[in-house]
Amino acid sequence: MNLDNVKVLISEEEIEKRNLELAEEIYKQYGDEEVTFLITLKGATPFAMDLAKKYKGDCVFDFIRVSSYAGTESTGNIILKVPVKEENIKDKNILVIEDIIDTGNTMKYLIAYLKDLGAKSVRTCTLLNKQARRKVDVKADYVGFEIDDYFVMGYGLDYDEKLRQLPYVGYIETNK
Ligand code: IMP
Ligand code: MG
């Protein structure tokens, strides 16, 4: 994979600035109440960690892993690969942290799953929103950036498992 082909869509500086704004907005919501940052593996980890570092309230971390993708195509089938413990969800304020909402299938599944486990509240925060590709009706409570229909990579997002380590969100320019 040649990094020279990856163009910057959202820079490290823009992300850092937006993370601070989001952390402040989220704090306004929860104030003194504890919130669980439920981090969706693997893609949301860099974003969640940077966001958490800017969060002033009480938060705890938990992790969940679902998968709906093979390569770069959404299959629409959600597979729960790493579940959460019911006791970590029941009666808790859950903030799902995602890297991107694309078709919306994953987020819709997660919200239903967490409500089923008895969460006190379920809210959602996504770094990126690709509204043009939505297939089911879900809307995140907190959105870092709205993006057009690009396949993006970096800052946690993968290109066939690679390029998650990039400090920015990028895309590969194709020759038309
Ligand atoms: P959804 O269920 O279609 O909303 O897909 C959500 C998941 O698909 C995300 O959590 C990502 O893992 C993956 N995904 C969707 N679009 C992209 C992209 O542009 N780059 C990398 N991963 C993506
Ligand atoms: Mg993901």
Side-chain angles (χ1 to χ4, degrees), residues 45-79:
T45 15
F47 170 49
M49 291 304 113
D50 286 346
L51 183 68
K53 283 184 243 171
K54 300 192 186 301
Y55 189 69
K56 285 189 286 207
D58 282 341
C59 70
V60 300
F61 296 162
D62 206 344
F63 298 89
I64 190 166
R65 183 160 179 223
V66 291
S67 164
S68 70
Y69 265 65
T72 60
E73 281 308 304
S74 175
T75 61
N77 295 326
I78 310 296
I79 308 155

PDB file of all heavy atoms in Angstrom, residues 45-79:
ATOM      1  N   THR A  45     -11.521   3.037  17.931  1.00  0.00           N
ATOM      2  CA  THR A  45     -10.592   3.193  19.062  1.00  0.00           C
ATOM      3  C   THR A  45      -9.787   4.497  19.061  1.00  0.00           C
ATOM      4  O   THR A  45      -9.787   5.184  20.078  1.00  0.00           O
ATOM      5  CB  THR A  45      -9.650   1.978  19.217  1.00  0.00           C
ATOM      6  OG1 THR A  45      -9.682   1.191  18.039  1.00  0.00           O
ATOM      7  CG2 THR A  45     -10.035   1.112  20.362  1.00  0.00           C
ATOM      8  N   PRO A  46      -9.119   4.883  17.981  1.00  0.00           N
ATOM      9  CA  PRO A  46      -8.353   6.132  18.061  1.00  0.00           C
ATOM     10  C   PRO A  46      -9.239   7.342  18.376  1.00  0.00           C
ATOM     11  O   PRO A  46      -8.903   8.178  19.216  1.00  0.00           O
ATOM     12  CB  PRO A  46      -7.728   6.272  16.669  1.00  0.00           C
ATOM     13  CG  PRO A  46      -7.755   4.902  16.087  1.00  0.00           C
ATOM     14  CD  PRO A  46      -8.963   4.225  16.671  1.00  0.00           C
ATOM     15  N   PHE A  47     -10.381   7.395  17.713  1.00  0.00           N
ATOM     16  CA  PHE A  47     -11.327   8.493  17.946  1.00  0.00           C
ATOM     17  C   PHE A  47     -11.802   8.499  19.398  1.00  0.00           C
ATOM     18  O   PHE A  47     -11.768   9.539  20.072  1.00  0.00           O
ATOM     19  CB  PHE A  47     -12.514   8.330  16.984  1.00  0.00           C
ATOM     20  CG  PHE A  47     -13.682   9.230  17.244  1.00  0.00           C
ATOM     21  CD1 PHE A  47     -13.513  10.598  17.437  1.00  0.00           C
ATOM     22  CD2 PHE A  47     -14.978   8.715  17.292  1.00  0.00           C
ATOM     23  CE1 PHE A  47     -14.616  11.435  17.671  1.00  0.00           C
ATOM     24  CE2 PHE A  47     -16.076   9.534  17.523  1.00  0.00           C
ATOM     25  CZ  PHE A  47     -15.888  10.896  17.721  1.00  0.00           C
ATOM     26  N   ALA A  48     -12.217   7.348  19.897  1.00  0.00           N
ATOM     27  CA  ALA A  48     -12.751   7.278  21.263  1.00  0.00           C
ATOM     28  C   ALA A  48     -11.700   7.694  22.296  1.00  0.00           C
ATOM     29  O   ALA A  48     -12.008   8.405  23.249  1.00  0.00           O
ATOM     30  CB  ALA A  48     -13.259   5.860  21.551  1.00  0.00           C
ATOM     31  N   MET A  49     -10.463   7.269  22.084  1.00  0.00           N
ATOM     32  CA  MET A  49      -9.406   7.606  23.042  1.00  0.00           C
ATOM     33  C   MET A  49      -9.109   9.105  23.027  1.00  0.00           C
ATOM     34  O   MET A  49      -8.949   9.725  24.069  1.00  0.00           O
ATOM     35  CB  MET A  49      -8.120   6.814  22.737  1.00  0.00           C
ATOM     36  CG  MET A  49      -8.236   5.327  23.007  1.00  0.00           C
ATOM     37  SD  MET A  49      -8.736   4.943  24.696  1.00  0.00           S
ATOM     38  CE  MET A  49     -10.357   4.253  24.402  1.00  0.00           C
ATOM     39  N   ASP A  50      -9.061   9.700  21.842  1.00  0.00           N
ATOM     40  CA  ASP A  50      -8.790  11.140  21.759  1.00  0.00           C
ATOM     41  C   ASP A  50      -9.953  11.945  22.338  1.00  0.00           C
ATOM     42  O   ASP A  50      -9.743  12.949  23.024  1.00  0.00           O
ATOM     43  CB  ASP A  50      -8.535  11.546  20.304  1.00  0.00           C
ATOM     44  CG  ASP A  50      -7.158  11.088  19.830  1.00  0.00           C
ATOM     45  OD1 ASP A  50      -6.333  10.703  20.679  1.00  0.00           O
ATOM     46  OD2 ASP A  50      -6.918  11.118  18.611  1.00  0.00           O
ATOM     47  N   LEU A  51     -11.167  11.492  22.067  1.00  0.00           N
ATOM     48  CA  LEU A  51     -12.359  12.163  22.602  1.00  0.00           C
ATOM     49  C   LEU A  51     -12.356  12.071  24.133  1.00  0.00           C
ATOM     50  O   LEU A  51     -12.586  13.065  24.829  1.00  0.00           O
ATOM     51  CB  LEU A  51     -13.600  11.476  22.023  1.00  0.00           C
ATOM     52  CG  LEU A  51     -14.961  12.038  22.363  1.00  0.00           C
ATOM     53  CD1 LEU A  51     -15.140  13.406  21.705  1.00  0.00           C
ATOM     54  CD2 LEU A  51     -16.060  11.084  21.892  1.00  0.00           C
ATOM     55  N   ALA A  52     -12.075  10.886  24.631  1.00  0.00           N
ATOM     56  CA  ALA A  52     -12.096  10.659  26.082  1.00  0.00           C
ATOM     57  C   ALA A  52     -11.059  11.531  26.792  1.00  0.00           C
ATOM     58  O   ALA A  52     -11.313  12.029  27.889  1.00  0.00           O
ATOM     59  CB  ALA A  52     -11.848   9.182  26.382  1.00  0.00           C
ATOM     60  N   LYS A  53      -9.919  11.744  26.141  1.00  0.00           N
ATOM     61  CA  LYS A  53      -8.868  12.554  26.772  1.00  0.00           C
ATOM     62  C   LYS A  53      -9.334  13.996  26.963  1.00  0.00           C
ATOM     63  O   LYS A  53      -8.788  14.725  27.769  1.00  0.00           O
ATOM     64  CB  LYS A  53      -7.587  12.520  25.929  1.00  0.00           C
ATOM     65  CG  LYS A  53      -6.816  11.219  26.095  1.00  0.00           C
ATOM     66  CD  LYS A  53      -5.521  11.255  25.324  1.00  0.00           C
ATOM     67  CE  LYS A  53      -5.528  10.193  24.254  1.00  0.00           C
ATOM     68  NZ  LYS A  53      -4.398  10.311  23.323  1.00  0.00           N
ATOM     69  N   LYS A  54     -10.326  14.394  26.199  1.00  0.00           N
ATOM     70  CA  LYS A  54     -10.837  15.764  26.306  1.00  0.00           C
ATOM     71  C   LYS A  54     -12.121  15.834  27.130  1.00  0.00           C
ATOM     72  O   LYS A  54     -12.712  16.903  27.286  1.00  0.00           O
ATOM     73  CB  LYS A  54     -11.079  16.331  24.906  1.00  0.00           C
ATOM     74  CG  LYS A  54      -9.799  16.354  24.071  1.00  0.00           C
ATOM     75  CD  LYS A  54      -9.954  17.165  22.826  1.00  0.00           C
ATOM     76  CE  LYS A  54      -8.736  17.088  21.919  1.00  0.00           C
ATOM     77  NZ  LYS A  54      -7.495  17.555  22.544  1.00  0.00           N
ATOM     78  N   TYR A  55     -12.583  14.698  27.642  1.00  0.00           N
ATOM     79  CA  TYR A  55     -13.862  14.648  28.354  1.00  0.00           C
ATOM     80  C   TYR A  55     -13.662  14.935  29.841  1.00  0.00           C
ATOM     81  O   TYR A  55     -12.848  14.283  30.506  1.00  0.00           O
ATOM     82  CB  TYR A  55     -14.519  13.270  28.160  1.00  0.00           C
ATOM     83  CG  TYR A  55     -15.921  13.241  28.694  1.00  0.00           C
ATOM     84  CD1 TYR A  55     -16.926  13.966  28.065  1.00  0.00           C
ATOM     85  CD2 TYR A  55     -16.228  12.534  29.851  1.00  0.00           C
ATOM     86  CE1 TYR A  55     -18.212  13.968  28.573  1.00  0.00           C
ATOM     87  CE2 TYR A  55     -17.520  12.527  30.355  1.00  0.00           C
ATOM     88  CZ  TYR A  55     -18.494  13.254  29.705  1.00  0.00           C
ATOM     89  OH  TYR A  55     -19.773  13.266  30.213  1.00  0.00           O
ATOM     90  N   LYS A  56     -14.454  15.897  30.360  1.00  0.00           N
ATOM     91  CA  LYS A  56     -14.228  16.350  31.736  1.00  0.00           C
ATOM     92  C   LYS A  56     -15.050  15.602  32.797  1.00  0.00           C
ATOM     93  O   LYS A  56     -14.795  15.724  33.979  1.00  0.00           O
ATOM     94  CB  LYS A  56     -14.540  17.848  31.842  1.00  0.00           C
ATOM     95  CG  LYS A  56     -13.443  18.699  31.212  1.00  0.00           C
ATOM     96  CD  LYS A  56     -13.636  20.167  31.507  1.00  0.00           C
ATOM     97  CE  LYS A  56     -14.761  20.715  30.689  1.00  0.00           C
ATOM     98  NZ  LYS A  56     -14.825  22.055  30.313  1.00  0.00           N
ATOM     99  N   GLY A  57     -16.077  14.864  32.365  1.00  0.00           N
ATOM    100  CA  GLY A  57     -16.951  14.194  33.330  1.00  0.00           C
ATOM    101  C   GLY A  57     -16.465  12.801  33.692  1.00  0.00           C
ATOM    102  O   GLY A  57     -15.357  12.407  33.346  1.00  0.00           O
ATOM    103  N   ASP A  58     -17.341  12.067  34.409  1.00  0.00           N
ATOM    104  CA  ASP A  58     -17.017  10.682  34.782  1.00  0.00           C
ATOM    105  C   ASP A  58     -17.361   9.772  33.616  1.00  0.00           C
ATOM    106  O   ASP A  58     -18.517   9.714  33.192  1.00  0.00           O
ATOM    107  CB  ASP A  58     -17.873  10.228  35.971  1.00  0.00           C
ATOM    108  CG  ASP A  58     -17.345  10.796  37.269  1.00  0.00           C
ATOM    109  OD1 ASP A  58     -16.164  11.204  37.304  1.00  0.00           O
ATOM    110  OD2 ASP A  58     -18.120  10.836  38.240  1.00  0.00           O
ATOM    111  N   CYS A  59     -16.362   9.053  33.132  1.00  0.00           N
ATOM    112  CA  CYS A  59     -16.680   8.077  32.086  1.00  0.00           C
ATOM    113  C   CYS A  59     -15.905   6.799  32.315  1.00  0.00           C
ATOM    114  O   CYS A  59     -14.830   6.805  32.913  1.00  0.00           O
ATOM    115  CB  CYS A  59     -16.418   8.641  30.688  1.00  0.00           C
ATOM    116  SG  CYS A  59     -14.693   8.860  30.274  1.00  0.00           S
ATOM    117  N   VAL A  60     -16.512   5.713  31.893  1.00  0.00           N
ATOM    118  CA  VAL A  60     -15.831   4.417  31.933  1.00  0.00           C
ATOM    119  C   VAL A  60     -15.844   3.869  30.504  1.00  0.00           C
ATOM    120  O   VAL A  60     -16.646   4.299  29.681  1.00  0.00           O
ATOM    121  CB  VAL A  60     -16.497   3.434  32.921  1.00  0.00           C
ATOM    122  CG1 VAL A  60     -16.480   3.979  34.340  1.00  0.00           C
ATOM    123  CG2 VAL A  60     -17.921   3.096  32.507  1.00  0.00           C
ATOM    124  N   PHE A  61     -14.950   2.941  30.267  1.00  0.00           N
ATOM    125  CA  PHE A  61     -14.850   2.372  28.911  1.00  0.00           C
ATOM    126  C   PHE A  61     -15.370   0.944  28.883  1.00  0.00           C
ATOM    127  O   PHE A  61     -15.148   0.174  29.808  1.00  0.00           O
ATOM    128  CB  PHE A  61     -13.374   2.280  28.459  1.00  0.00           C
ATOM    129  CG  PHE A  61     -12.660   3.586  28.306  1.00  0.00           C
ATOM    130  CD1 PHE A  61     -11.266   3.611  28.285  1.00  0.00           C
ATOM    131  CD2 PHE A  61     -13.333   4.788  28.171  1.00  0.00           C
ATOM    132  CE1 PHE A  61     -10.571   4.802  28.136  1.00  0.00           C
ATOM    133  CE2 PHE A  61     -12.650   5.985  28.012  1.00  0.00           C
ATOM    134  CZ  PHE A  61     -11.266   5.987  27.994  1.00  0.00           C
ATOM    135  N   ASP A  62     -16.017   0.621  27.800  1.00  0.00           N
ATOM    136  CA  ASP A  62     -16.284  -0.781  27.503  1.00  0.00           C
ATOM    137  C   ASP A  62     -16.170  -0.940  25.988  1.00  0.00           C
ATOM    138  O   ASP A  62     -16.135   0.067  25.265  1.00  0.00           O
ATOM    139  CB  ASP A  62     -17.673  -1.198  28.012  1.00  0.00           C
ATOM    140  CG  ASP A  62     -17.726  -2.699  28.305  1.00  0.00           C
ATOM    141  OD1 ASP A  62     -16.822  -3.444  27.849  1.00  0.00           O
ATOM    142  OD2 ASP A  62     -18.671  -3.142  28.965  1.00  0.00           O
ATOM    143  N   PHE A  63     -16.094  -2.183  25.560  1.00  0.00           N
ATOM    144  CA  PHE A  63     -15.835  -2.445  24.147  1.00  0.00           C
ATOM    145  C   PHE A  63     -16.812  -3.472  23.598  1.00  0.00           C
ATOM    146  O   PHE A  63     -17.244  -4.371  24.311  1.00  0.00           O
ATOM    147  CB  PHE A  63     -14.399  -2.978  23.971  1.00  0.00           C
ATOM    148  CG  PHE A  63     -13.353  -2.000  24.418  1.00  0.00           C
ATOM    149  CD1 PHE A  63     -12.906  -1.987  25.741  1.00  0.00           C
ATOM    150  CD2 PHE A  63     -12.833  -1.060  23.537  1.00  0.00           C
ATOM    151  CE1 PHE A  63     -11.960  -1.059  26.166  1.00  0.00           C
ATOM    152  CE2 PHE A  63     -11.891  -0.133  23.956  1.00  0.00           C
ATOM    153  CZ  PHE A  63     -11.455  -0.133  25.270  1.00  0.00           C
ATOM    154  N   ILE A  64     -17.141  -3.301  22.329  1.00  0.00           N
ATOM    155  CA  ILE A  64     -18.014  -4.251  21.661  1.00  0.00           C
ATOM    156  C   ILE A  64     -17.471  -4.404  20.245  1.00  0.00           C
ATOM    157  O   ILE A  64     -16.865  -3.466  19.706  1.00  0.00           O
ATOM    158  CB  ILE A  64     -19.479  -3.760  21.672  1.00  0.00           C
ATOM    159  CG1 ILE A  64     -20.435  -4.852  21.201  1.00  0.00           C
ATOM    160  CG2 ILE A  64     -19.667  -2.483  20.843  1.00  0.00           C
ATOM    161  CD1 ILE A  64     -21.907  -4.533  21.517  1.00  0.00           C
ATOM    162  N   ARG A  65     -17.669  -5.572  19.678  1.00  0.00           N
ATOM    163  CA  ARG A  65     -17.237  -5.717  18.289  1.00  0.00           C
ATOM    164  C   ARG A  65     -18.332  -6.375  17.472  1.00  0.00           C
ATOM    165  O   ARG A  65     -18.796  -7.454  17.808  1.00  0.00           O
ATOM    166  CB  ARG A  65     -15.950  -6.539  18.209  1.00  0.00           C
ATOM    167  CG  ARG A  65     -15.458  -6.638  16.795  1.00  0.00           C
ATOM    168  CD  ARG A  65     -14.002  -7.002  16.676  1.00  0.00           C
ATOM    169  NE  ARG A  65     -13.691  -7.073  15.259  1.00  0.00           N
ATOM    170  CZ  ARG A  65     -12.973  -8.010  14.701  1.00  0.00           C
ATOM    171  NH1 ARG A  65     -12.427  -8.948  15.436  1.00  0.00           N
ATOM    172  NH2 ARG A  65     -12.778  -8.010  13.401  1.00  0.00           N
ATOM    173  N   VAL A  66     -18.740  -5.680  16.453  1.00  0.00           N
ATOM    174  CA  VAL A  66     -19.690  -6.237  15.504  1.00  0.00           C
ATOM    175  C   VAL A  66     -19.072  -6.105  14.128  1.00  0.00           C
ATOM    176  O   VAL A  66     -18.180  -5.291  13.915  1.00  0.00           O
ATOM    177  CB  VAL A  66     -21.056  -5.507  15.541  1.00  0.00           C
ATOM    178  CG1 VAL A  66     -21.785  -5.773  16.826  1.00  0.00           C
ATOM    179  CG2 VAL A  66     -20.904  -4.034  15.303  1.00  0.00           C
ATOM    180  N   SER A  67     -19.558  -6.909  13.234  1.00  0.00           N
ATOM    181  CA  SER A  67     -18.977  -6.855  11.915  1.00  0.00           C
ATOM    182  C   SER A  67     -20.080  -7.011  10.876  1.00  0.00           C
ATOM    183  O   SER A  67     -21.008  -7.785  11.051  1.00  0.00           O
ATOM    184  CB  SER A  67     -17.948  -7.974  11.812  1.00  0.00           C
ATOM    185  OG  SER A  67     -17.633  -8.197  10.479  1.00  0.00           O
ATOM    186  N   SER A  68     -19.979  -6.242   9.825  1.00  0.00           N
ATOM    187  CA  SER A  68     -20.970  -6.373   8.754  1.00  0.00           C
ATOM    188  C   SER A  68     -20.306  -6.349   7.393  1.00  0.00           C
ATOM    189  O   SER A  68     -20.961  -6.368   6.377  1.00  0.00           O
ATOM    190  CB  SER A  68     -21.983  -5.236   8.821  1.00  0.00           C
ATOM    191  OG  SER A  68     -21.358  -4.027   8.448  1.00  0.00           O
ATOM    192  N   TYR A  69     -18.987  -6.299   7.421  1.00  0.00           N
ATOM    193  CA  TYR A  69     -18.284  -6.053   6.175  1.00  0.00           C
ATOM    194  C   TYR A  69     -17.386  -7.196   5.756  1.00  0.00           C
ATOM    195  O   TYR A  69     -16.749  -7.825   6.567  1.00  0.00           O
ATOM    196  CB  TYR A  69     -17.405  -4.782   6.312  1.00  0.00           C
ATOM    197  CG  TYR A  69     -18.099  -3.554   5.820  1.00  0.00           C
ATOM    198  CD1 TYR A  69     -19.233  -3.082   6.476  1.00  0.00           C
ATOM    199  CD2 TYR A  69     -17.644  -2.867   4.709  1.00  0.00           C
ATOM    200  CE1 TYR A  69     -19.884  -1.960   6.027  1.00  0.00           C
ATOM    201  CE2 TYR A  69     -18.289  -1.739   4.258  1.00  0.00           C
ATOM    202  CZ  TYR A  69     -19.407  -1.288   4.922  1.00  0.00           C
ATOM    203  OH  TYR A  69     -20.044  -0.170   4.470  1.00  0.00           O
ATOM    204  N   ALA A  70     -17.333  -7.433   4.475  1.00  0.00           N
ATOM    205  CA  ALA A  70     -16.316  -8.304   3.903  1.00  0.00           C
ATOM    206  C   ALA A  70     -15.649  -7.435   2.848  1.00  0.00           C
ATOM    207  O   ALA A  70     -16.299  -6.986   1.917  1.00  0.00           O
ATOM    208  CB  ALA A  70     -16.960  -9.514   3.257  1.00  0.00           C
ATOM    209  N   GLY A  71     -14.372  -7.134   3.025  1.00  0.00           N
ATOM    210  CA  GLY A  71     -13.689  -6.223   2.109  1.00  0.00           C
ATOM    211  C   GLY A  71     -14.291  -4.840   2.255  1.00  0.00           C
ATOM    212  O   GLY A  71     -14.374  -4.322   3.339  1.00  0.00           O
ATOM    213  N   THR A  72     -14.743  -4.246   1.177  1.00  0.00           N
ATOM    214  CA  THR A  72     -15.284  -2.899   1.259  1.00  0.00           C
ATOM    215  C   THR A  72     -16.789  -2.872   1.022  1.00  0.00           C
ATOM    216  O   THR A  72     -17.381  -1.822   0.883  1.00  0.00           O
ATOM    217  CB  THR A  72     -14.597  -1.958   0.249  1.00  0.00           C
ATOM    218  OG1 THR A  72     -14.825  -2.467  -1.062  1.00  0.00           O
ATOM    219  CG2 THR A  72     -13.118  -1.833   0.509  1.00  0.00           C
ATOM    220  N   GLU A  73     -17.425  -4.044   0.952  1.00  0.00           N
ATOM    221  CA  GLU A  73     -18.865  -4.077   0.679  1.00  0.00           C
ATOM    222  C   GLU A  73     -19.681  -4.447   1.913  1.00  0.00           C
ATOM    223  O   GLU A  73     -19.400  -5.427   2.578  1.00  0.00           O
ATOM    224  CB  GLU A  73     -19.156  -5.118  -0.419  1.00  0.00           C
ATOM    225  CG  GLU A  73     -18.863  -4.616  -1.823  1.00  0.00           C
ATOM    226  CD  GLU A  73     -19.529  -3.287  -2.138  1.00  0.00           C
ATOM    227  OE1 GLU A  73     -20.759  -3.213  -1.996  1.00  0.00           O
ATOM    228  OE2 GLU A  73     -18.830  -2.329  -2.488  1.00  0.00           O
ATOM    229  N   SER A  74     -20.715  -3.661   2.194  1.00  0.00           N
ATOM    230  CA  SER A  74     -21.592  -3.980   3.315  1.00  0.00           C
ATOM    231  C   SER A  74     -22.456  -5.179   2.938  1.00  0.00           C
ATOM    232  O   SER A  74     -23.018  -5.242   1.859  1.00  0.00           O
ATOM    233  CB  SER A  74     -22.523  -2.800   3.611  1.00  0.00           C
ATOM    234  OG  SER A  74     -23.435  -3.165   4.611  1.00  0.00           O
ATOM    235  N   THR A  75     -22.527  -6.139   3.859  1.00  0.00           N
ATOM    236  CA  THR A  75     -23.381  -7.302   3.583  1.00  0.00           C
ATOM    237  C   THR A  75     -24.759  -7.127   4.206  1.00  0.00           C
ATOM    238  O   THR A  75     -25.678  -7.854   3.874  1.00  0.00           O
ATOM    239  CB  THR A  75     -22.755  -8.588   4.158  1.00  0.00           C
ATOM    240  OG1 THR A  75     -22.648  -8.414   5.567  1.00  0.00           O
ATOM    241  CG2 THR A  75     -21.392  -8.867   3.569  1.00  0.00           C
ATOM    242  N   GLY A  76     -24.867  -6.176   5.146  1.00  0.00           N
ATOM    243  CA  GLY A  76     -26.139  -5.994   5.836  1.00  0.00           C
ATOM    244  C   GLY A  76     -26.355  -6.995   6.956  1.00  0.00           C
ATOM    245  O   GLY A  76     -27.235  -6.824   7.783  1.00  0.00           O
ATOM    246  N   ASN A  77     -25.537  -8.045   6.993  1.00  0.00           N
ATOM    247  CA  ASN A  77     -25.629  -9.012   8.094  1.00  0.00           C
ATOM    248  C   ASN A  77     -24.720  -8.569   9.215  1.00  0.00           C
ATOM    249  O   ASN A  77     -23.528  -8.402   9.005  1.00  0.00           O
ATOM    250  CB  ASN A  77     -25.148 -10.405   7.660  1.00  0.00           C
ATOM    251  CG  ASN A  77     -26.045 -10.998   6.612  1.00  0.00           C
ATOM    252  OD1 ASN A  77     -27.253 -10.766   6.632  1.00  0.00           O
ATOM    253  ND2 ASN A  77     -25.464 -11.747   5.699  1.00  0.00           N
ATOM    254  N   ILE A  78     -25.292  -8.405  10.389  1.00  0.00           N
ATOM    255  CA  ILE A  78     -24.475  -7.982  11.515  1.00  0.00           C
ATOM    256  C   ILE A  78     -24.117  -9.208  12.342  1.00  0.00           C
ATOM    257  O   ILE A  78     -24.987  -9.978  12.734  1.00  0.00           O
ATOM    258  CB  ILE A  78     -25.231  -6.970  12.406  1.00  0.00           C
ATOM    259  CG1 ILE A  78     -25.831  -5.838  11.566  1.00  0.00           C
ATOM    260  CG2 ILE A  78     -24.327  -6.434  13.502  1.00  0.00           C
ATOM    261  CD1 ILE A  78     -24.852  -4.960  10.864  1.00  0.00           C
ATOM    262  N   ILE A  79     -22.835  -9.357  12.592  1.00  0.00           N
ATOM    263  CA  ILE A  79     -22.367 -10.470  13.412  1.00  0.00           C
ATOM    264  C   ILE A  79     -21.783  -9.873  14.692  1.00  0.00           C
ATOM    265  O   ILE A  79     -20.931  -8.987  14.621  1.00  0.00           O
ATOM    266  CB  ILE A  79     -21.265 -11.276  12.682  1.00  0.00           C
ATOM    267  CG1 ILE A  79     -21.753 -11.684  11.284  1.00  0.00           C
ATOM    268  CG2 ILE A  79     -20.843 -12.497  13.483  1.00  0.00           C
ATOM    269  CD1 ILE A  79     -20.617 -11.924  10.312  1.00  0.00           C
TER     270      ILE A  79
END
